[in-house]
Amino acid sequence: MSEPQEDFQGDPQVSALYREHAHAEPPATVDGYVLAAARAAVRAPASVAQRHWWQRWRTGLALATTLALTLTLALLHERQPGDLQREAAVTPQPVAPGVAPASVARDTAVPAAPPTAVAGDAVAAAGKAAVGVPPKLPAREDRLAAQRVTPAAGEGVRPAAAGDAPRQDGSPATAPEAAPGSASPRAREGSTVAGTAATAAAAAAASAEQEAAAGPASAARQQPRAVAPSRAGIARSADAWLDEIRALRRAGHGAEAAKQLADFRLAHPDYPLPEEFRQ
Amino acid sequence: MQTDWSDERLMLAYRAGDADAFTILYRRHRGPLYRYLVRQCGSAAEADELHQDVWLKVIHARSQYEPLARFPTWLFRIARHRLIDHYRQHARHLLAQHESAAGEDAEGGEEWIERLPAASEEMPHVLLERHDTARRISVAVAELPPLQREVFLLAEEGRLTLDEIATVTGCGRETTKSRLRYALGKLRKSLQDLL
């Protein structure tokens, strides 16, 4: 203990007198309380393990919650198997020269189409939505599909066909609508979907009795059409649209082709039209 | 032996979890701290409460304790802050006088004598000892101006140096030295016949 005043001597006599008579001390109860508190405070770390469960597990709970939230978001953004199946069903059968697609064949042969044929109709509905054609599609689609099958002797419906399209039934077929240099199979697929849809839309000018003849099958095919329009409309490209117009012209539907061309120019005013459409 | 350890070493041992170290430390400083408090607040009951609070603050602040200064300096600084809080809660007029007196000349505090916290006759140690010398000493200390009494008690009870007292009180070293000189002079004058 150092002296209170190194350079100040103070008054040793006063200090000695004061210390001689300074005996006041705290009561024993205060001493006991303070010492007990000191010991309890030292024991406190041992009781850390006895903290509330929330304090002990909050870190783990926070991590688990974060992980669960992340997984949930990831799963929500991941494509569901149901979506893949729906997408596969929406994808039309590519039309190969000389070979009638299964769905078309079924549509032309049997009024009540099986579920696989419904997919093609759904795409047709998509095309209808894209071009704003009234919903009179099934019968005209059938007719147009038959027309697309007709030039099987060598005249492809789509001169720009390139490469093989995804084959779902194992039948040899090419993707007539696939534009050269398509970025991906998915893009080709979208183009194919749009092409079929537009073809179906072009057939909307056909008579109503065929639609009536389709009967309940047509009604059954109407239902899934509500699903497809957005996908087909989005996937439809200018090239595919022009291909459809070209197909309409070749099929002899000049009025419909002109209407489609007018719609096309409204939708794509800056798109350079091929020579054949400038007249 | 832990009893030979310095205050700082004992406090570090207590911080590490040694409760016995605190016991030794407490027994060393319980008397001086208590007398400092009881002479400053003038009431044994209040001094008991203050004494307990100060030590509880020491206990709770053990994890932040670093031996940057001597332990008594740290302890009496806590005690002084607790006293100021006590004045704010129970005797604001005393606090105001305490603060206003800080700017005055240390010699000009004669009127403080009539307004000291408590009469020296009521202090428990005076009542217990019943000793005339002790009573007179207590009276003489209690009659000191607050700032002078504070410096005197820190020097006598805390055994603090001038620099340490200046650190605790937040004043300059020369101011502290002047206050202590005046306090000792007044006590000598009051207790002249006992010296």
Side-chain angles (χ1 to χ4, degrees), chain B residues 47-60:
Chain B
D48 291 349
E49 180 184 349
L50 293 173
H51 178 83
Q52 181 176 298
D53 288 350
V54 169
W55 283 106
L56 290 179
K57 286 180 181 293
V58 170
I59 291 169
H60 293 149

Side-chain angles (χ1 to χ4, degrees), chain B residues 120-168:
Chain B
S120 59
E121 294 82 4
E122 298 171 3
M123 292 185 175
H125 65 285
V126 176
L127 296 175
L128 289 173
E129 292 176 0
R130 302 289 183 185
H131 194 279
D132 184 60
T133 302
R135 188 186 64 80
R136 287 188 58 191
I137 292 173
S138 298
V139 170
V141 171
E143 288 178 344
L144 287 173
L147 297 177
Q148 294 178 18
R149 185 173 66 240
E150 178 182 55
V151 172
F152 173 78
L153 291 173
L154 288 172
E156 294 298 329
E157 297 292 353
R159 306 291 182 92
L160 303 183
T161 65
L162 288 176
D163 289 328
E164 289 171 342
I165 294 171
T167 300
V168 169

Side-chain angles (χ1 to χ4, degrees), chain A residues 162-192:
Chain A
D164 291 340
R167 300 169 186 175
Q168 295 182 357
D169 56 355
S171 62
T174 57
E177 295 84 0
S182 295
S184 67
R186 184 173 178 82
R188 274 203 309 273
E189 171 189 311
S191 176
T192 304

Side-chain angles (χ1 to χ4, degrees), chain A residues 72-135:
Chain A
T72 303
L73 289 174
L75 290 175
L76 282 176
H77 285 279
E78 191 179 16
R79 295 171 66 185
Q80 300 296 322
D83 293 342
L84 293 175
Q85 291 174 358
R86 249 193 324 273
E87 188 173 320
V90 166
T91 303
Q93 296 295 327
V95 179
V99 178
S103 61
V104 173
R106 279 193 296 271
D107 284 349
T108 53
V110 184
T116 53
V118 172
D121 291 340
V123 175
K128 168 204 69 180
V131 297
V133 177

